[in-house]
Amino acid sequence: MTSSRTFATSAPGKVIIFGEHSAVYGKPAVAASASSMRSYLLVQPDVKDTDISLLFPDIKLELQCALEQLSAITASHTLGEKLNPALTSAIASLLEEHKLPALQHSAALCFLYLYLSIVPASERTPTRFTLRSTLPVGAGLGSSASVSVAVAQACLTLCSHDSITPPPRDTVNKWAFVGETCIHGDPSGIDNAIATHGGALLFAKDSPTPPRRLVPPSPIVTVLTYTRIPRSTKTLVAGVRSRYEAEPEIFGPLLESMGALAERGCRALEEGDLATTLQLVQVCHGQLVALGVSHPGLEVVRVLTDELGIGQTKLTGAGGGGCSLTLLNNDAPEEVVTQFKSELQERYGYETFETTLGGSGCSIVDLDDARVDKNTRQTVLDVFASTESSREQLDNWLLPEGPTSLPWQF
């Protein structure tokens, strides 16, 4: 039998610090976990039902699937640790009757693929899965990888016969990559690696050596700004390629320089050299502007950072909108940082998130643990269940190492 206990899993989002776009050409890049921006998956046995239920209120997804119907799918397909296109198609066909929008369809497909592949048919029991997230969707912060990691960890735990302990991270990461493949087709694997292991990584696409883990001596304090400006990663990547192919003598050296900057940034981060890191953030943004991937809405954030003197800002991710990353000076006054966030929110309608980079990776908490008192347990369940729960409430009650101090295991 699968676990009959109530538990939750969690995984962080990610931020690219150096190496956007140049990473596509095999140059080094640096990415880190966004410690306080996470996905949370609550798993509850449901003895009154014969289905598994998916409740993902942040994307307005409610779905019930009969276990008998799911078992019929897996009985006719080979299950393994690599993506099986035939199984993907079978699940997609099952979901067609629900007529889900694209985002909901992708989330349900990823979840069901991982659930059916990891949890044996003999151990599938009626269960309710509720997903909450403090990560904006489609903002380049690794929200899908965060969800894939949380789901993979939960499914592996369901096979552990009432032992609510963290599954091996390498196994979680392997399955999360499969989930990412369900959604994106050909992911790099960096997003799920960051969401699984946390910390910071130096990596290069198609490198024969695995990503190198970085260990900064102190937390990297940042403000992430979500501009809500829509953009297409595919279009932006294609635009850079077009410029590169038209003027290789100009853009080739620029891409090489971006790779060199990422390696220098790696050393500065490991040495705790904030002054050099801030200078490199400034240069990196200038390189991305030269590639043509900034946006007036992102420049607003950079200019305000300079005016208030609180640090340095660069775009993060594909650019063209999306998110910016502001690294703060050690002496940035709290009231000025608050002014910075307030002006972006009130004047421009942007959303801001203050977080440290390079913190903990995936984690799990047993809500039936004796250390979780009855009132805390019920409040946590209510926070998951309520569609009105704010990001602050989710952080207050669920954030690993946060105010509530739930006994998360890492």
Side-chain angles (χ1 to χ4, degrees):
M1 293 292 291
T2 53
S3 172
S4 60
R5 298 174 73 88
T6 297
F7 65 93
T9 60
S10 177
K14 74 90 178 60
V15 174
I16 297 178
I17 304 177
F18 301 116
E20 293 92 341
H21 288 283
S22 55
V24 175
Y25 299 86
K27 312 306 178 189
V30 178
S33 62
S35 308
S36 64
M37 301 177 68
R38 307 178 73 91
S39 297
Y40 302 95
L41 183 65
L42 174 67
V43 182
Q44 298 168 282
D46 193 350
V47 297
K48 297 180 181 180
D49 209 338
T50 59
D51 302 336
I52 63 166
S53 302
L54 309 186
L55 303 173
F56 298 178
D58 297 308
I59 60 170
K60 298 179 172 59
L61 172 63
E62 291 189 24
L63 183 68
Q64 285 191 306
C65 297
L67 286 168
E68 183 178 349
Q69 194 174 18
L70 294 176
S71 294
I73 291 177
T74 54
S76 56
H77 289 87
T78 302
L79 303 180
E81 297 178 354
K82 292 187 177 181
L83 190 71
N84 180 342
L87 178 58
T88 304
S89 297
I91 297 171
S93 297
L94 172 67
L95 293 173
E96 283 179 5
E97 64 186 75
H98 298 279
K99 301 188 185 318
L100 300 173
L103 178 60
Q104 296 179 1
H105 177 88
S106 293
L109 178 65
C110 172
F111 175 88
L112 289 174
Y113 190 97
L114 291 178
Y115 178 78
L116 294 176
S117 297
I118 296 172
V119 182
S122 60
E123 299 195 5
R124 297 175 199 149
T125 58
T127 308
R128 176 178 297 182
F129 299 88
T130 306
L131 180 75
R132 300 306 308 269
S133 179
T134 57
L135 281 160
V137 176
L141 297 178
S143 60
S144 66
S146 174
V147 170
S148 292
V149 169
V151 171
Q153 189 174 210
C155 291
L156 289 164
T157 303
L158 283 172
C159 303
S160 64
H161 305 280
D162 280 334
S163 175
I164 308 299
T165 55
R169 284 192 167 182
D170 286 344
T171 306
V172 172
N173 187 48
K174 174 186 65 180
W175 280 111
F177 179 76
V178 174
E180 279 282 85
T181 305
C182 279
I183 297 172
H184 297 296
D186 186 25
S188 68
I190 292 302
D191 285 16
N192 50 275
I194 288 285
T196 301
H197 297 286
L201 296 174
L202 175 72
F203 66 94
K205 181 182 179 182
D206 300 326
S207 171
T209 58
R212 182 161 74 84
R213 188 174 178 84
L214 315 182
V215 186
S218 59
I220 307 165
V221 184
T222 67
V223 176
L224 296 173
T225 301
Y226 179 33
T227 66
R228 304 180 192 272
I229 298 168
R231 82 285 185 278
S232 165
T233 298
K234 182 178 180 180
T235 299
L236 288 157
V237 170
V240 171
R241 183 166 296 280
S242 177
R243 295 181 188 96
Y244 171 63
E245 291 176 349
E247 301 286 354
E249 296 84 359
I250 295 173
F251 288 97
L254 177 58
L255 293 167
E256 290 287 345
S257 174
M258 294 175 76
L261 185 145
E263 292 186 321
R264 180 66 185 93
C266 171
R267 296 197 300 275
L269 289 168
E270 289 194 302
E271 293 165 1
D273 184 349
L274 182 60
T276 298
T277 303
L278 288 167
Q279 182 182 46
L280 294 173
V281 166
Q282 182 184 40
V283 174
C284 183
H285 182 75
Q287 292 172 324
L288 291 162
V289 170
L291 284 182
V293 296
S294 188
H295 185 281
L298 290 166
E299 297 304 319
V300 162
V301 188
R302 184 192 60 76
V303 169
L304 183 60
T305 307
D306 289 347
E307 289 177 348
L308 296 178
I310 59 172
Q312 292 291 340
T313 288
K314 63 179 286 292
L315 68 85
T316 184
C323 284
S324 68
L325 165 68
T326 302
L327 259 66
L328 298 175
N329 297 324
N330 283 334
D331 58 355
E334 185 176 342
E335 63 272 16
V336 181
V337 175
T338 299
Q339 177 188 347
F340 172 74
K341 295 189 290 185
S342 297
E343 183 165 345
L344 292 172
Q345 290 167 351
E346 295 168 9
R347 185 173 178 183
Y348 300 99
Y350 294 172
E351 190 172 8
T352 61
F353 310 83
E354 189 164 350
T355 184
T356 57
L357 299 184
S360 58
C362 64
S363 51
I364 188 168
V365 61
D366 181 359
L367 293 174
D368 293 328
D369 190 305
R371 291 172 292 176
V372 182
D373 66 74
K374 183 178 179 180
N375 290 336
T376 297
R377 184 184 190 277
Q378 188 56 52
T379 302
V380 168
L381 296 180
D382 291 344
V383 166
F384 268 103
S386 174
T387 57
E388 303 301 319
S389 296
S390 65
R391 177 159 56 92
E392 288 72 23
Q393 288 173 309
L394 290 167
D395 284 343
N396 286 340
W397 288 100
L398 301 177
L399 186 64
E401 302 173 337
T404 307
S405 297
L406 289 171
W408 289 97
Q409 302 176 68
F410 299 94

